Amino acid sequence: MSEAREFKHIGQRTIRPDGYDKVTGRANFGADLSLPGMIWGKIHRSPHAHAKILSIDTSKAEAHPDVLAVVTASDFPAIQSETIAVGEGSEDLFDLTRNLLAADKVLYHGHAVAALAARSERAAAEALSLIEVQYEVLPPVLDLRAAMADDAPVLHQDMFTEGYDKKPEKPSNVATRLEAKIGDIEAGFAAADVIVEREFYTPTAHQGYIEPHACTVRYDENGQSMIWCSTQGHFDVRARTAKILDMDQTSLKVIASEIGGGFGGKTTVYLEPVALLLSKKSGCPVKMVMQRTEVFIATGPTSAAKLWVKVGAKKDGKITAMQGRLAYEAGAFKGSPMMPGVMTMFAPYDVANVCVEGFDVVVNKPKVAAYRAPGAPQAEFAAEMLVSELADQLAMDPLELRLKNAAREGTQTLYGPKLKSVGLVACLEAVKNSPHYQAPLGTPQSGKVRGRALASGFWFNMGGQSSVVINMNPDGTGTIVEGSPDIGGSRASMQMMAAEAMELPISRLKPIIADTDNVPFSATTGGSRTTYATGMAVVEAAQKVVQQLKERAAALWNLTPEQVEYADGVVHAKQGDDQLSVREICQAAEKTGGQISGQANINARGAGPGFAVHVCDLEVDTDTGKVDVIRYTASQDAGKAIHPGYVEGQLQGGAVQGIGWALNEEYIFDDQGVMENSGFLDYRIPLASDLPMIDTLVVEVPNTFHPYGVRGVGETSIIPPLAAVGYAVSKAIGAPITTLPCSPPRVLKLIQDKA
Amino acid sequence: MSKTHVTTSINASLHEFLCEPGDTLLDVLRNELQLTGTKEGCGTGDCGACSVTLNGRLVCACLVLAVEVEGMEVGTIEGIGQSDSLDVIQEKFLEHAALQCGICTPGLIVSTKALLDENPDPTEAEARYYLAGNLCRCTGYDKIIRAVMDAAATLGGAKEGV
Ligand code: FES
Ligand code: FES
């Protein structure tokens, strides 16, 4: 795709096809399905962060008249270690099984130890206390420093750090060490006139989707088992559950309910295999719904990270070297998003000498899950904070400094390829010319101070496997059958892309998310891939339908397909007046060879990277340390915004999650590793009253791989806020922020220490 | 444990149910009466996904005991408008793309209706504070607030500014 194109549907703000169900309460989410004869499952969780399991006695629970099944890890078939893809990363099947139900050891407060199912939700909850577990409590390892210390208690005796030339002699909490570099980092710093260096820390934070994990399942010994669940990827739920329970994939149908938010946190399984085991044992359908506390203590979160960074530049602002050393908490099992952190850290910069070292570290906290651009917000936070500091040291405008060093077409990335056309410069220019950046910061009332900062963000975006079938119905309408759970309105974009390709009104096309039996494999909704990759499959399937429509009309006229044309839902003979509408062709399909459908099963390559630039104005109350964002603008390259409303929504939602991470959100543990703020009252995500409007500047630098130019937009937007907010607080209070969140006590202390 | 018989009006139609003393209104709506439009995000009064009205007053259904609604009028999302006759608030949420995943939407629509019943012309700040009990993790609230203000304007005219 090169020059700008005229679109009929794309770029409109249509009403999403699932909208009516969502505003009337009819849409069915994970917890909304009940089946006849259904019973309720609950999980017994560890009160300790680190302990040996000496014994589990389930006999009292089993004897309870309302309890119909109890399971523990010993009910799982034996499982071998095996790496499986999950969302944007991977996880180990053996670890996953251990995370579902602990065996031998519990590794975090809240770790599942046993599960039971009973006739009512209340009976199940009450019976949990009848499960008796004997523990030998071990010292918990609660942060990176403790975990990486030489004499640290080791979580997994069989874990030896990978990534060194020689296998280490003793086991360690460091699962992996990784180094990536280009150029000559020493020479880069030697050439610098100014060098800045600092260490940063970001806390454990949760995805915070409002819908807790939930499923309703029915085991069937004749190969008709069913799982209904809230997930970003029902094919992955099927694959994992089938593996863990040693079933064929064909004997398990997974239906993706409507999903009440995921942000990466619903790309793995926590309940489904356990629920199916309970159903198998009890002979009844089983429903499991997590409590909010369980969501906090036993799912998600994303990694706390320690981030050391050093940047060198010439006096004129040309950056000569960028170096980072990053440690990410993986939680109880290896597999933090350290690698994407390493690869994205300096991606917004065109710099010849870059070196980043990363460590994936296990600690006694819940195993992390993907969270929107996993790994990138932490690493890029550190980098962006320091680039802003460099701008101040050089007395340069932070935007000009970024423009001068901006990654652009041809820039060599640390992760491999040279960039194709990308939108960072366009985003910087958009912000530079925005009313927000042009306006003065303004003077606050007494007792308050203000700051402004900006930050860039980069995320790879993904493609991957998507399958789509468009079935034309005898009345000339079409059903778009896809396999990508819709978290944020993607059905609207599928409908619009199909309408564009088929030149039909959107009302004639209905997108649905089929279950695993009714559409070929489709990868999880994650990596900002759905509108890109599934959209590509929609367009290909639509083109096949159009081709068939032409063939069928031509056949009715005794012409060849080359002798007809298609436009606006009508096939015309190139010569003469013959014409047939889509409706007429579909009605006559019976006579021309059967029904018409188009299918595309693709593995999309070439997802265009996404760049963003955000600018934040905020005000700090110097008496309390409370920070209020007073103006915020988010600019991002969408390639092509199919539905601008939902693209803006991704920018705004990501920005606000990032603002929450920067200002308030963090897991607070006591010294035994018990989470103390496992509810929305104390783990405070942003409220409507905390925020201003979030202005958006959607930039469109088309991605040539997509027929309409789409780039994913879902993730990049969470990256810039951490440093845009963090550095604006630094500017406001005149003291460096090194630790997130900038919560009132922490900010107040910095103000007081300075005075 | 013996169950209590409760008679109540839900969305202007008479309902009877049996419940245990510890059952919340949310449990009964969702699990007994299959009115699953009211959502559960926390069960502790912190998220607003379970917003309903009780004799016209906005409450969290997860904080109300089911036995308490004897003789009262309960209003849920199912009583607000259906797809052939949407309420203006519902229409505005759709027009403004004020939902992404939609799990918070029923609660927000119930709360917005309560807001506009109480205060037909809220300022942006008033709307933001009234809806502060309804968490949305997807949207950043921008489009929700725009939808609310537009609904207020359509229904009668909102004040300018904050
Ligand atoms: S479920 Fe009632 S407030 Fe969250
Ligand atoms: S739209 Fe997802 S929580 Fe509000």
Side-chain angles (χ1 to χ4, degrees):
Chain A
M1 207 191 106
S2 48
E3 74 284 8
R5 283 167 50 177
E6 289 287 320
F7 291 113
K8 190 146 185 230
H9 302 287
I10 288 172
Q12 302 295 313
R13 293 174 189 256
T14 60
I15 300 296
R16 63 196 274 171
D18 57 317
Y20 299 98
D21 282 355
K22 295 265 163 76
V23 298
T24 54
R26 285 188 206 166
N28 289 313
F29 290 82
D32 293 344
L33 179 72
S34 293
L35 294 175
M38 183 186 86
I39 60 174
W40 291 77
K42 288 272 178 208
I43 290 186
H44 179 94
R45 297 183 181 279
S46 166
H48 306 296
H50 196 191
K52 258 194 207 129
I53 298 175
L54 302 176
S55 66
I56 306 175
D57 181 355
T58 59
S59 56
K60 286 196 187 122
E62 275 159 21
H64 188 288
D66 284 339
V67 173
L68 300 181
V70 185
V71 298
T72 64
S74 62
D75 291 290
F76 285 131
I79 274 279
Q80 299 300 315
S81 181
E82 176 186 342
T83 304
I84 41 175
V86 46
E88 294 150 308
S90 61
E91 65 189 354
D92 185 283
L93 197 63
F94 181 81
D95 290 348
L96 176 61
T97 311
R98 287 291 180 268
N99 197 36
L100 287 169
L101 287 172
D104 314 331
K105 248 180 145 186
V106 288
L107 293 159
Y108 55 95
H109 166 237
H111 197 161
V113 177
L116 58 75
R119 284 184 221 281
S120 72
E121 192 175 15
R122 179 183 308 280
E126 284 169 2
L128 284 180
S129 62
L130 300 175
I131 296 174
E132 290 172 353
V133 186
Q134 301 291 328
Y135 296 100
E136 177 191 329
V137 179
L138 302 169
V141 178
L142 295 176
D143 60 33
L144 290 160
R145 195 188 312 265
M148 295 172 88
D150 271 346
D151 56 348
V154 171
L155 270 65
H156 304 279
Q157 288 301 330
D158 58 350
M159 185 183 285
F160 294 83
T161 310
E162 289 183 18
Y164 290 108
D165 294 339
K166 271 209 329 246
K167 183 178 170 180
E169 278 162 15
K170 30 178 231 170
S172 158
N173 292 321
V174 180
T176 310
R177 180 233 174 221
L178 178 86
E179 188 180 80
K181 55 181 157 188
I182 47 176
D184 178 342
I185 195 72
E186 301 303 330
F189 282 117
D193 299 319
V194 181
I195 292 176
V196 284
E197 176 182 347
R198 211 177 269 289
E199 188 171 271
F200 297 91
Y201 175 80
T202 61
T204 304
H206 199 273
Q207 293 79 351
Y209 32 79
I210 305 300
E211 179 200 31
H213 298 260
C215 64
T216 296
V217 312
R218 185 180 51 219
Y219 181 81
D220 180 274
E221 58 286 355
N222 298 314
Q224 304 291 333
S225 294
M226 183 282 285
I227 293 176
W228 158 280
C229 62
S230 172
T231 177
Q232 292 174 241
H234 48 323
F235 287 91
D236 280 356
V237 171
R238 182 181 70 170
R240 278 165 179 59
T241 306
K243 275 249 181 209
I244 289 167
L245 300 186
D246 196 17
M247 303 165 73
D248 292 332
Q249 292 193 7
T250 190
S251 62
L252 179 58
K253 179 213 294 268
V254 182
I255 307 167
S257 71
E258 294 296 335
I259 169 172
F263 313 109
K266 289 180 183 163
T267 54
T268 184
V269 290
Y270 296 102
L271 297 175
E272 294 83 353
V274 177
L276 207 56
L277 263 187
L278 288 168
S279 176
K280 182 178 182 180
K281 267 203 169 176
S282 65
C284 303
V286 171
K287 177 161 170 166
M288 296 184 85
V289 182
M290 278 196 198
Q291 301 287 304
R292 174 56 53 185
T293 298
E294 295 180 279
V295 174
F296 276 114
I297 65 176
T299 76
T302 189
S303 305
K306 201 157 64 122
L307 315 140
W308 171 84
V309 54
K310 183 174 168 184
V311 176
K314 293 283 199 195
K315 277 203 202 74
D316 67 356
K318 184 70 202 150
I319 297 176
T320 56
M322 300 184 107
Q323 187 176 10
R325 194 182 315 118
L326 316 175
Y328 281 68
E329 289 182 4
F333 301 96
K334 66 181 182 286
S336 71
M338 170 272 285
M339 194 194 321
V342 166
M343 299 306 180
T344 56
M345 183 167 196
F346 299 120
Y349 300 93
D350 184 293
V351 173
N353 308 299
V354 181
C355 178
V356 190
E357 188 182 18
F359 300 90
D360 177 30
V361 185
V362 295
V363 293
N364 290 119
K365 293 185 186 174
K367 166 69 169 69
V368 301
Y371 181 20
R372 213 165 191 160
Q378 295 97 324
E380 295 187 56
F381 159 67
E384 292 298 309
M385 290 293 280
L386 216 63
V387 169
S388 288
E389 191 170 334
L390 176 67
D392 279 348
Q393 289 226 1
L394 293 166
M396 269 183 90
D397 181 290
L399 198 150
E400 294 301 334
L401 177 66
R402 286 176 169 85
L403 262 180
K404 190 174 183 97
N405 295 285
R408 59 194 78 213
E409 188 161 0
T411 293
Q412 174 62 53
T413 63
L414 186 61
Y415 60 91
K418 287 202 160 75
L419 290 177
K420 304 235 170 13
S421 77
V422 290
L424 176 58
V425 170
C427 288
L428 285 164
E429 300 281 1
V431 166
K432 188 174 168 181
N433 299 321
S434 68
H436 181 171
Y437 203 65
Q438 305 255 326
L441 182 54
T443 355
Q445 295 169 341
S446 83
K448 301 206 170 175
V449 288
R450 286 188 177 180
R452 169 182 291 172
L454 63 100
S456 308
F458 159 89
W459 183 247
F460 312 96
N461 295 331
M462 282 174 49
Q465 296 185 71
S466 286
S467 305
V468 170
V469 188
I470 300 180
N471 291 322
M472 296 308 290
N473 302 311
D475 64 355
T477 61
T479 309
I480 306 162
V481 184
E482 50 154 328
S484 303
D486 174 359
I487 315 188
S490 59
R491 270 165 291 191
S493 25
M494 301 310 155
Q495 185 185 46
M496 294 164 80
M497 284 186 272
E500 194 72 45
M502 295 167 73
E503 301 181 50
L504 289 175
I506 60 163
S507 60
R508 300 260 302 270
L509 296 163
K510 181 176 83 174
I512 65 154
I513 318 296
D515 64 51
T516 53
D517 281 350
N518 283 302
V519 68
F521 176 88
S522 294
T524 293
T525 291
S528 301
R529 63 174 292 280
T530 296
T531 304
Y532 175 69
T534 307
M536 238 164 143
V538 163
V539 174
E540 191 180 315
Q543 286 163 343
K544 287 182 181 167
V545 169
V546 169
Q547 181 56 28
Q548 286 172 47
L549 291 166
K550 287 162 69 176
E551 286 167 10
R552 300 302 182 88
L556 287 166
W557 297 325
N558 279 327
L559 297 174
T560 66
E562 292 70 40
Q563 292 171 306
V564 305
E565 277 174 337
Y566 181 83
D568 287 329
V570 179
V571 180
H572 307 259
K574 285 184 186 166
Q575 314 256 306
D577 298 330
D578 281 340
Q579 62 173 52
L580 283 169
S581 69
V582 169
R583 191 186 314 258
E584 289 164 330
I585 299 167
C586 289
Q587 269 164 358
E590 190 182 2
K591 295 185 216 122
T592 56
Q595 295 303 313
I596 295 168
S597 72
Q599 175 155 9
N601 305 337
I602 66 166
N603 186 0
R605 307 273 173 216
F611 282 96
V613 177
H614 293 193
V615 53
C616 172
D617 293 0
L618 51 76
E619 203 165 81
V620 183
D621 185 320
T622 49
D623 290 332
T624 62
K626 179 166 185 283
V627 179
D628 285 312
V629 174
I630 53 176
R631 189 166 186 179
Y632 200 95
T633 301
S635 163
Q636 189 171 322
D637 176 16
K640 177 72 205 171
I642 300 296
H643 190 305
Y646 291 105
V647 170
E648 292 159 3
Q650 289 298 317
L651 272 51
Q652 293 164 333
V656 167
Q657 278 186 320
I659 291 170
W661 198 346
L663 287 183
N664 281 308
E665 297 180 32
E666 67 178 317
Y667 274 42
I668 298 169
F669 294 94
D670 72 8
D671 61 1
Q672 294 306 303
V674 174
M675 186 182 179
E676 293 185 313
N677 60 334
S678 58
F680 277 135
L681 189 62
D682 299 313
Y683 183 95
R684 197 173 178 291
I685 69 172
L687 317 177
S689 54
D690 293 340
L691 294 159
M693 292 296 185
I694 306 295
D695 292 334
T696 56
L697 301 165
V698 176
V699 164
E700 295 183 326
V701 177
N703 171 15
T704 48
F705 286 94
H706 188 277
Y708 301 132
V710 168
R711 295 172 197 272
V713 292
E715 293 169 288
T716 314
S717 53
I718 197 174
I719 300 165
L722 277 64
V725 171
Y727 204 73
V729 175
S730 294
K731 295 287 274 187
I733 65 173
I737 292 292
T738 57
T739 301
L740 294 184
C742 299
S743 52
R746 191 169 283 134
V747 173
L748 188 61
K749 179 152 191 323
L750 288 170
I751 294 169
Q752 287 166 345
D753 288 353
K754 195 177 151 254
Chain B
M1 208 175 298
S2 73
K3 295 201 171 193
T4 306
H5 178 265
V6 175
T7 308
T8 187
S9 149
I10 301 176
N11 302 324
S13 75
L14 202 65
H15 283 262
E16 294 177 71
F17 57 81
L18 292 175
C19 66
E20 294 192 14
D23 286 345
T24 65
L25 174 59
L26 182 60
D27 294 333
V28 167
L29 287 174
R30 290 183 51 80
N31 298 332
E32 292 296 315
L33 305 174
Q34 307 303 324
L35 292 169
T36 55
T38 305
K39 303 301 178 190
E40 175 162 358
C42 69
T44 50
D46 300 317
C47 78
C50 65
S51 299
V52 298
T53 55
L54 214 53
N55 286 356
R57 221 183 95 222
L58 184 65
V59 296
C60 295
C62 69
L63 296 183
V64 175
L65 289 174
V67 292
E68 291 181 81
V69 306
E70 170 72 36
M72 296 185 105
E73 285 179 11
V74 181
T76 73
I77 184 68
E78 285 88 353
I80 290 187
Q82 293 305 312
S83 46
D84 51 350
S85 59
L86 289 185
D87 187 273
V88 172
I89 298 165
Q90 292 167 315
E91 275 170 8
K92 293 302 173 190
F93 268 64
L94 291 177
E95 277 172 26
H96 286 270
L99 52 142
Q100 285 175 28
C101 78
I103 192 82
C104 66
T105 309
L108 268 156
I109 286 172
V110 169
S111 295
T112 302
K113 196 163 186 332
L115 161 68
L116 299 184
D117 285 347
E118 269 176 47
N119 179 0
D121 57 349
T123 63
E124 183 192 325
E126 285 168 350
R128 285 186 179 275
Y129 277 90
Y130 195 95
L131 299 174
N134 288 84
L135 299 181
C136 172
R137 188 59 158 173
C138 298
T139 63
Y141 304 103
D142 181 300
K143 293 184 186 303
I144 291 173
I145 299 299
R146 287 179 202 279
V148 171
M149 299 308 282
D150 191 3
T154 306
L155 289 166
K159 285 180 235 160
E160 286 293 306
V162 279

